[in-house]
Amino acid sequence: LGFYNTLLHDLATTRTKESLSGIGTAVGYFGLVVGLGLAYPFTQGTLSFFGFSGKPTAFIIGALAFLLFSLPVFFFLKDKKDETPASEIATFGKSFGDTFRDIKNIRQYPGVLAYLISYYLYSDAILTLQLFAVLYLDKVAHLADSQKNIAFATGLFFGVVGAGTSRWLALLMKSTRKAVALCIALWAVLLVALGLVSNPYAFIVIVVLNGFFSGALFSLSRAYYSHLVPAEKQGQYFGIYVLFERFASILGPLIWSLTIIAFAFLGEAASYRAAMLSLGVMVAIGFVIFLQVKDPRTKE
């Protein structure tokens, strides 16, 4: 992902980063839908793959699909000529040293550290919700499997829509920064609402809205971060960007689990609601921190 995100700077101009990032995220969500569609008949036992059937075949189908859809990158994506002297090519140990040095010097670039902390918090909530959404809708909303499938399929579709329309959202707000702030704020509200509502249809509507704003937020956040980081530092700092995202996959589930344990005395449903509200608080804190970030292009 570090290499993938860095390509945004090479393939887009300053004015087209939001568009290209949105297309990339939209295609990613669409790929998830296609992948689920390809794997479904095999995992259900309707079809077999050289004698294999059931859920394990999802890994085989996923691997083959990954290879197939990677072929255009191998054959058609041309990288810029690397003129780095052989003496400067990083070794494994040197790469770690360079990463720690870049983190240490991050304050040289205004807004980057505050943005990364904010990103850490709201991406943490998004990743945690993706992990536990099915369980939450089962334990709290008591949705049938068919209702959960409809909610997630529709949520994925609106994730494509959110990513694809993220550039127009930025244009509507007249600022990528304002559009990111709006998405984070609405995410906090939606998570709190998800922790409080009781109507089954309200759960589905909120899941769908979550899909839309998560698609838009991931698209815009990548483009906005690219504006914050100097052109010559895109590779290094997108590596740190991905590093923050990976660490986010640790803290969120930990907070979720500890909250459920702490509020277990209230009952299963109530403890899960408390865990969802804790995610809303995390995103709200991320929103407050994000307000400290200024766009280097407009100084606002």
Side-chain angles (χ1 to χ4, degrees), residues 78-100:
K78 304 300 181 183
D79 205 354
K80 293 181 179 179
K81 185 177 180 181
D82 187 3
E83 299 180 351
T84 304
S87 60
E88 295 183 12
I89 294 177
T91 62
F92 186 74
K94 185 175 184 296
S95 295
F96 269 102
D98 289 346
T99 300
F100 286 121

Side-chain angles (χ1 to χ4, degrees), residues 154 213 243:
T154 311
F213 285 108
L243 187 65

Side-chain angles (χ1 to χ4, degrees), residues 17-277:
K17 284 183 178 180
E18 283 76 7
S19 296
L20 188 59
S21 182
I23 292 170
T25 304
V27 172
Y29 273 94
F30 182 71
L32 180 56
V33 176
V34 171
L36 290 172
L38 288 173
Y40 186 78
F42 293 95
T43 59
Q44 297 301 304
T46 307
L47 296 176
S48 64
F49 185 83
F50 292 102
F52 293 97
S53 63
K55 292 180 180 179
T57 56
F59 294 95
I60 301 173
I61 301 301
L64 292 175
F66 192 96
L67 175 62
L68 175 65
F69 292 113
S70 297
L71 293 179
V73 175
F74 299 153
F75 292 112
F76 303 115
L77 183 62
K78 304 300 181 183
D79 205 354
K80 293 181 179 179
K81 185 177 180 181
D82 187 3
E83 299 180 351
T84 304
S87 60
E88 295 183 12
I89 294 177
T91 62
F92 186 74
K94 185 175 184 296
S95 295
F96 269 102
D98 289 346
T99 300
F100 286 121
R101 188 184 66 249
D102 289 333
I103 294 174
K104 182 179 179 181
N105 297 333
I106 207 168
R107 292 182 180 275
Q108 294 178 11
Y109 308 105
V112 173
L113 181 59
Y115 178 80
L116 285 172
I117 295 172
S118 173
Y119 176 72
Y120 177 85
L121 291 169
Y122 69 73
S123 65
D124 202 343
I126 292 173
L127 292 170
T128 304
L129 183 63
Q130 290 172 348
L131 282 173
F132 295 110
V134 174
L135 191 60
Y136 186 82
L137 292 179
D138 181 56
K139 300 292 185 181
V140 178
H142 305 296
L143 297 184
D145 287 343
S146 59
Q147 291 175 309
K148 284 184 281 189
N149 289 336
I150 291 172
F152 287 117
T154 311
L156 285 173
F157 171 76
F158 275 91
V160 175
V161 175
T165 59
S166 58
R167 176 178 177 270
W168 283 272
L169 180 61
L171 291 174
L172 180 66
M173 300 295 295
K174 299 181 180 179
S175 165
T176 302
R177 178 182 179 274
K178 290 179 180 178
V180 173
L182 175 67
C183 288
I184 298 173
L186 289 175
W187 243 92
V189 172
L190 287 170
L191 288 173
V192 171
L194 199 58
L196 297 176
V197 298
S198 298
N199 186 287
Y201 295 104
F203 281 105
I204 294 175
V205 169
I206 294 172
V207 169
V208 170
L209 290 174
N210 272 319
F212 178 86
F213 285 108
S214 66
L217 182 54
F218 270 120
S219 301
L220 292 171
S221 66
R222 180 169 55 197
Y224 185 67
Y225 182 74
S226 182
H227 292 307
L228 290 176
V229 179
E232 69 277 8
K233 291 286 187 179
Q234 294 281 315
Q236 295 95 314
Y237 281 94
F238 262 116
I240 296 172
Y241 181 85
V242 174
L243 187 65
F244 270 70
E245 186 177 67
R246 293 307 92 195
F247 271 111
S249 64
I250 299 172
L251 181 64
L254 181 62
I255 291 176
W256 176 279
S257 302
L258 291 176
T259 303
I260 288 176
I261 293 171
F263 289 91
F265 67 94
L266 295 176
E268 186 176 60
S271 65
Y272 273 83
R273 287 184 183 275
M276 186 62 69
L277 291 173

